[in-house]
Amino acid sequence: MKESKITRRALVGSVISIVLCLAMLVGATFAWFTDTASTNVNRVQSGTLNVELQDESGNNIEGQTLTWQKAEGHENEAVLWEPGATYKLQPIKIVNTGKLALKYKITITGIQGSSELNDVINWTYVDNTGAAVALGSERSLAVGAADTLTIQGTMATTAGNDYQDKSIDGISITVTATQD
């Protein structure tokens, strides 16, 4: 009986030892080194893209009607287009009032009436340097900068009798800006 008691104790001790060894083995396989580091980001803010049309005095002219410049002494006469004639609008400023540099294009939109008359008018603008630039050309403008332009149209000298007594209305100058 003494031997069975000793054997039993030895067997129980062996089982406990095996369980403890297995527990330590399982615990050892799940031991990982870990670490974490972090820092703060000050601020994330998006910029704004904003272009404004102004007159020479700096007044906003969006939605207003521009006038044709007339020769001295002819201020009360109607503006009548004829082949070879060039008429200029009052000077305008394109101002970047946003917080991002931009690229812009100027286009003629909103034409109503005899739209074929517009086909024989070559639209350009004269920039700050005095150079004539085709409408639709892309220009860059830094934040806070402005371009003073004079938009002009020249009727083609090849325009024949088909263009007599025609008119176009609703002409708009549209400035489309995108991020530069």
Side-chain angles (χ1 to χ4, degrees):
M1 182 137 144
K2 231 179 180 189
E3 261 184 57
S4 71
K5 229 180 187 182
I6 294 174
T7 307
R8 220 183 252 176
R9 280 187 184 170
L11 188 59
V12 170
S14 295
V15 169
I16 291 174
S17 294
I18 291 173
V19 170
L20 285 174
C21 285
L22 286 175
M24 287 181 6
L25 180 63
V26 169
T29 60
F30 290 110
W32 294 290
F33 291 119
T34 62
D35 189 15
T36 302
S38 65
T39 185
N40 293 328
V41 174
N42 186 21
R43 184 177 182 177
V44 175
Q45 180 177 349
S46 62
T48 56
L49 185 70
N50 193 36
V51 65
E52 190 174 296
L53 294 174
Q54 299 177 355
D55 63 14
E56 288 181 296
S57 302
N59 300 313
N60 189 321
I61 58 170
E62 291 179 48
Q64 295 182 13
T65 302
L66 300 177
T67 56
W68 295 105
Q69 295 179 23
K70 298 179 184 176
E72 192 173 317
H74 299 276
E75 293 86 5
N76 295 327
E77 294 179 15
V79 174
L80 298 174
W81 292 77
E82 59 187 86
T86 298
Y87 287 101
K88 297 178 181 181
L89 287 169
Q90 68 189 68
I92 61 170
K93 282 200 287 189
I94 298 174
V95 184
N96 182 352
T97 58
K99 295 180 181 176
L100 299 171
L102 59 83
K103 295 183 286 191
Y104 70 88
K105 287 183 184 181
I106 301 172
T107 55
I108 301 292
T109 59
I111 293 175
Q112 301 167 0
S114 305
S115 61
E116 65 271 6
L117 180 58
N118 190 53
D119 295 339
V120 294
I121 297 176
N122 180 32
W123 295 101
T124 59
Y125 61 88
V126 178
D127 66 9
N128 302 343
T129 66
V133 181
L135 248 55
S137 299
E138 193 171 81
R139 295 177 64 99
S140 294
L141 202 55
V143 175
D147 278 345
T148 301
L149 312 170
T150 303
I151 297 172
Q152 62 187 18
T154 302
M155 189 169 187
T157 56
T158 57
N161 289 336
D162 294 340
Y163 299 99
Q164 288 189 53
D165 204 31
K166 303 267 183 192
S167 67
I168 49 178
D169 297 304
I171 299 172
S172 295
I173 306 300
T174 303
V175 178
T176 306
T178 57
Q179 178 183 338
D180 194 5

